[in-house]
Amino acid sequence: MANKENNISINPNAQVIFNRKKSAPISVGDLMIGIEKGDRYILSKAITLVESNQIEDQSIANQLIDFCINKKPESLRIGITGTPGVGKSTFIDTLGTQIINENHKLAVLAIDPSSNISRGSILGDKTRMERLSMNLNAYIRPTPSADNLGGVARKTRETMILCEAAGFDTIIIETVGVGQSETAVYQLTDVFLLILQPGAGDELQGIKRGIMEMADILAINKADGERLSMAKFAKAAYTSALHLFQPKTSNWIPKVLTCSSTEENGILDIWNTIQSFQNLTIANNYKINKRNHQKLYWFEETFQNKLLNFYLENKEIADYKEELEMKILADTVTPFLAVDKLLQKIIDKYQK
Ligand code: GDP
């Protein structure tokens, strides 16, 4: 204590100077102007506020989102998924460079729920997307940390809105197939790409059927060197597998394409296919309908999560739920009757 007082008496302004530096106050108005101007430093500050769990940061973030939501340009949101090692970052580096060469501004965001647990398989320590990370027309932002996938998805969606308001007209959101993360990316984007790599005869193994169904474009990467013939085989196998699925409501017939991200072969073809998808779905209103549907999806998801948390924060209800869980395991109550009992408890408590 004496030490602390001594320190202050040595330099009474130290604390003030430190505070001023640390908080470097930027008003909400400055943040809005900076975002509109496409100032990357301000954009990063704003995203940090969106990612923050502090109540006061969240209130500023909400004002920013409100402001930005009407500022966004016509944008294209691309979802990309694939297992680790399939070549996602190399692919995005090559595709992204192509996109920027056509005078677009690109933001790359990631959803990686595993990163909170295992220190990340996406955007981890290794340098990814070397060319994009040096390009001023690209903005790369790693996965926000959050306790659950819903939290990560919300932060990613809000980050995307800020990036769009800052003039990034093309957004790539990538994920590895962990939990329901592909569904989250699907619900955030306009077009969905599944990246695969050629394997020897076991093409369809290990790919969740639901992901194949969601995909608009299947890209078989690493179609080079001795893998070239395997890639052609994989293309035929996936093309015939896709015939088994229902036609898409977008009227788009999913395409299977081969590419080499390292040799930069086939990437332009994939970009052209993404644009064909975009043109078709703008013309037939699928894009706008999907985006509207997504807004309601996130409303519903967030509402259900928050409602559940609201009730379970009440100790009496949380305890009763635990008690019911024990009874379910002991077969003294069925899961369905237990739900009715839990609901009745909630009604009794909150109707008073
Ligand atoms: P991610 O984990 O899905 O992001 O995969 P990476 O982009 O980190 O790639 C994993 C490995 O595959 C790296 O060694 C890449 O150099 C390699 N790779 C990526 N794309 C290609 C490609 O088109 N051809 C070949 N031969 N190797 C590739």
Side-chain angles (χ1 to χ4, degrees):
M1 192 69 193
N3 247 348
K4 197 177 173 191
E5 277 167 12
N6 284 346
N7 280 345
I8 289 171
S9 69
I10 292 166
N11 183 356
N13 292 324
Q15 192 69 17
V16 177
I17 293 164
F18 179 69
N19 274 348
R20 200 192 298 150
K21 264 194 159 168
K22 190 180 166 198
S23 50
I26 303 176
S27 68
V28 183
D30 286 345
L31 286 167
M32 289 173 179
I33 293 168
I35 291 172
E36 260 194 318
K37 279 192 195 151
D39 182 323
R40 298 167 68 95
Y41 171 76
I42 298 281
L43 176 63
S44 296
K45 285 258 168 219
I47 294 172
T48 305
L49 290 169
V50 159
E51 290 177 353
S52 164
N53 291 326
Q54 306 280 323
I55 304 277
E56 53 288 8
D57 290 347
Q58 277 175 11
S59 128
I60 302 175
N62 288 341
Q63 292 178 55
L64 285 176
I65 298 294
D66 268 358
F67 171 78
C68 289
I69 204 136
N70 296 316
K71 293 273 177 280
K72 53 183 192 286
E74 180 66 49
S75 66
L76 170 62
R77 302 168 177 173
I78 305 167
I80 292 184
T81 191
T83 47
V86 81
K88 284 182 303 302
S89 49
T90 318
F91 176 83
I92 293 170
D93 203 33
T94 310
L95 175 69
T97 306
Q98 173 69 38
I99 291 173
I100 285 169
N101 286 345
E102 294 187 19
N103 287 330
H104 294 285
K105 287 183 77 182
L106 172 72
V108 181
L109 314 174
I111 287 193
D112 182 6
S114 67
S115 67
N116 298 323
I117 305 155
S118 63
R119 290 200 64 240
S121 40
I122 278 190
L123 301 171
D125 303 335
K126 62 180 175 159
T127 312
R128 304 174 86 234
M129 305 171 206
E130 274 177 27
R131 276 178 294 172
L132 286 186
S133 56
M134 291 186 306
N135 195 313
L136 279 179
N137 288 320
Y139 183 82
I140 302 176
R141 185 86 183 184
T143 308
S145 64
D147 297 337
N148 54 51
L149 179 60
V152 175
R154 181 206 165 145
K155 289 172 182 187
T156 307
R157 184 171 167 84
E158 294 186 339
T159 297
M160 175 167 76
I161 288 166
L162 294 181
C163 289
E164 289 177 347
F168 291 91
D169 61 357
T170 311
I171 311 284
I172 290 181
I173 303 183
E174 67 158 332
T175 190
V176 283
V178 178
Q180 291 297 306
S181 65
E182 307 94 350
T183 309
V185 172
Y186 178 77
Q187 292 292 356
L188 287 168
T189 53
D190 304 319
V191 56
F192 197 66
L193 263 78
L194 171 61
I195 316 272
L196 301 154
Q197 61 184 347
D202 58 354
E203 304 307 347
L204 304 177
Q205 285 180 21
I207 306 290
K208 285 187 253 168
R209 187 192 152 94
I211 302 179
M212 289 248 315
E213 260 168 318
M214 280 191 279
D216 300 301
I217 299 167
L218 275 66
I220 300 162
N221 191 34
K222 305 192 185 180
D224 49 46
E226 55 192 29
R227 287 202 186 89
L228 192 57
S229 56
M230 277 199 285
K232 285 182 184 158
F233 181 82
K235 180 177 173 174
Y238 283 113
T239 306
S240 67
L242 283 178
H243 288 310
L244 302 173
F245 296 140
Q246 295 284 325
K248 293 197 165 244
T249 43
S250 56
N251 284 337
W252 171 258
I253 299 165
K255 305 277 184 298
V256 186
L257 299 164
T258 55
C259 67
S260 166
S261 303
T262 44
E263 295 187 1
E264 302 185 20
N265 270 333
I267 301 290
L268 182 60
D269 212 12
I270 291 176
W271 174 228
N272 288 337
T273 308
I274 293 172
Q275 287 176 304
S276 300
F277 178 90
Q278 159 96 331
N279 293 338
L280 173 84
T281 53
I282 288 177
N284 69 11
N285 284 333
Y286 178 80
K287 179 176 173 180
I288 180 95
N289 289 339
K290 187 177 179 193
R291 284 205 180 178
N292 283 337
H293 181 273
Q294 288 173 343
K295 289 177 207 165
L296 295 180
Y297 173 88
W298 290 111
F299 170 69
E300 194 68 38
E301 274 281 311
T302 314
F303 177 59
Q304 286 187 18
N305 278 338
K306 290 209 167 175
L307 199 62
L308 196 63
N309 287 343
F310 171 79
Y311 287 126
L312 293 180
E313 269 165 19
N314 180 289
K315 188 166 171 1
E316 201 183 317
I317 290 171
D319 287 349
Y320 187 55
K321 182 167 174 273
E322 253 178 48
E323 189 186 317
L324 286 169
E325 282 165 0
M326 304 303 257
K327 288 187 175 165
I328 292 168
L329 292 178
D331 282 329
T332 54
V333 65
T334 68
F336 311 101
L337 187 59
V339 169
D340 290 342
K341 283 174 176 285
L342 188 57
L343 273 182
Q344 194 56 52
K345 177 96 178 168
I346 291 171
I347 291 166
D348 290 349
K349 181 151 187 65
Y350 288 93
Q351 263 184 353
K352 279 178 207 156

